[in-house]
Amino acid sequence: MHGPVGLALLLVLAGEVAAASPDQQCTAAKLKAAARTAAAFARCSARAVGNGTSVDATCLARATAKQAQTFAKAEARGGCPTIRDTAAIAGILGGLVAFADTELGDGGTAAGRRCASSRRTAAGAHLGATLRCRAVRVQAGSPPDAACLDRADAKLARAFAKSGAPGSCATSADAPATRAAMNAVAAGVVAALSPPPTTSTTSTTSSTLPGTSTTSTTIAGTVRFAADVQPIFDADCTVCHTGAFAPVGLDLSPGSSWVHLVGVGSGECPGTQRVAPGSPETSYLMHKLAGSGPCFVGSPMPLHRSPLPPHQQALIATWIAQGAAND
């Protein structure tokens, strides 16, 4: 890159990096570390299916340990909007492995194993690339670059096309379905690493659930179901709660979640609704997320994973308090 225009662009880019705030630098560093973890998780999964075995927990643990080291260094520099979240992020990234196990199977043949291994690697590469696209722009204080995301999508499509001869792949998910699943995981990581809601006088939600302390969380502006709430479900809930055979009949996939939640009676707590518009305190969904509440039974959600961060629970509670609109 030469000449006045190239020099000016370099100065602009340098200024963006120099101007990045501590919280942007930390979030960018964690996103890049999560991208490396995603690729490592995919390699663990690809190796397992290639060998016809289950995913090695030690392999996943090694990747998580490396992520923890990077997170610790970032937090030591100060300014991180979230801290001590290695396990939470690794849990979200585990959605890649869960998706691979259920949707990128091998069909029990050698050709199927080769195809599934290749496609699992491609899924991890796509997730990692998507997170890196976001990391670069977070550090610059800008939204994700559409062109960068498009390149990741195109690379995934090419990898799926080259992964096996026609008829040799036994996977049930094609490139678009895999892309959607990886985008949901990426959205969950970004949401978990985002700063907690800031104080504002726009909208306030206070709730007291039995067995918990009184909380008062303030969310600025209107919480949108499609933009703010559904991505949380996509990242943390749809691994289990999707399709006709979803647990307790609760399908939380896009296009189905709202009608299965709002105004629908809870089977575990008769007389309550899963989501009671305007009343997060009586909505059984909030009790399941908190792990306590009137006639709470079963296990806290998400199952076998870290609880949703407080700011994500606050987003859902505020959406309910604001009327639980499908917007």
Side-chain angles (χ1 to χ4, degrees):
M1 185 180 296
H2 303 287
V5 175
L7 178 59
L9 181 57
L10 286 174
L11 290 174
V12 169
L13 292 175
E16 284 184 340
V17 174
S21 63
D23 64 315
Q24 290 170 335
Q25 293 177 9
C26 178
T27 301
K30 287 188 174 183
L31 284 172
K32 292 175 183 176
R36 292 190 291 271
T37 303
F41 276 15
R43 287 193 294 271
C44 296
S45 179
R47 186 179 305 119
V49 75
N51 294 332
T53 61
S54 300
V55 177
D56 182 6
T58 303
C59 183
L60 300 177
R62 284 196 297 267
T64 303
K66 290 181 180 179
Q67 174 187 285
Q69 292 174 356
T70 304
F71 276 32
K73 290 179 181 178
E75 291 173 7
R77 290 192 289 267
C80 293
T82 62
I83 60 173
R84 295 189 293 274
D85 46 14
T86 293
I89 298 304
I92 295 171
L93 292 172
L96 184 160
V97 179
F99 175 82
D101 285 345
T102 57
E103 304 295 336
L104 299 178
D106 60 17
T109 67
R113 285 192 292 273
R114 287 192 296 270
C115 176
S117 179
S118 176
R119 291 189 170 185
R120 291 180 185 205
T121 300
H126 179 273
L127 177 54
T130 300
L131 292 171
R132 285 191 295 273
C133 291
R134 294 177 179 274
V136 170
R137 300 309 288 266
V138 161
Q139 193 163 358
S142 305
D145 180 16
C148 183
L149 297 175
D150 287 344
R151 287 193 294 272
D153 292 347
K155 187 174 181 180
L156 177 72
R158 290 195 299 270
F160 265 56
K162 295 178 180 178
S163 59
S168 64
C169 293
T171 61
S172 59
D174 57 8
T178 302
R179 180 182 67 238
M182 295 305 100
N183 285 343
V185 173
V189 171
V190 172
L193 293 177
S194 298
T198 56
T199 301
S200 168
T201 58
T202 305
S203 175
T204 302
T205 299
S206 298
S207 62
T208 305
L209 299 181
T212 66
S213 60
T214 301
T215 61
S216 180
T217 303
T218 305
I219 305 293
T222 301
V223 178
R224 303 290 184 185
F225 182 71
D228 302 312
V229 177
Q230 184 62 50
I232 299 174
F233 295 157
D234 292 342
D236 290 281
C237 307
T238 55
V239 170
C240 298
H241 285 277
T242 189
F245 301 102
V248 298
L250 178 55
D251 184 352
L252 292 178
S253 59
S256 298
S257 54
W258 190 87
V259 298
H260 283 86
L261 283 172
V262 179
V264 177
S266 167
E268 292 185 343
C269 187
T272 67
Q273 295 179 1
R274 289 170 173 170
V275 167
S279 181
E281 294 86 353
T282 62
S283 295
Y284 193 63
L285 173 64
M286 298 309 303
H287 302 157
K288 291 294 284 187
L289 294 176
S292 62
C295 66
F296 169 79
V297 297
S299 301
M301 294 290 121
L303 186 64
H304 304 317
R305 300 177 70 172
S306 300
L308 294 185
H311 66 279
Q312 289 189 349
Q313 294 194 39
L315 275 174
I316 297 173
T318 302
W319 166 69
I320 296 172
Q322 291 175 350
N326 186 12
D327 57 2

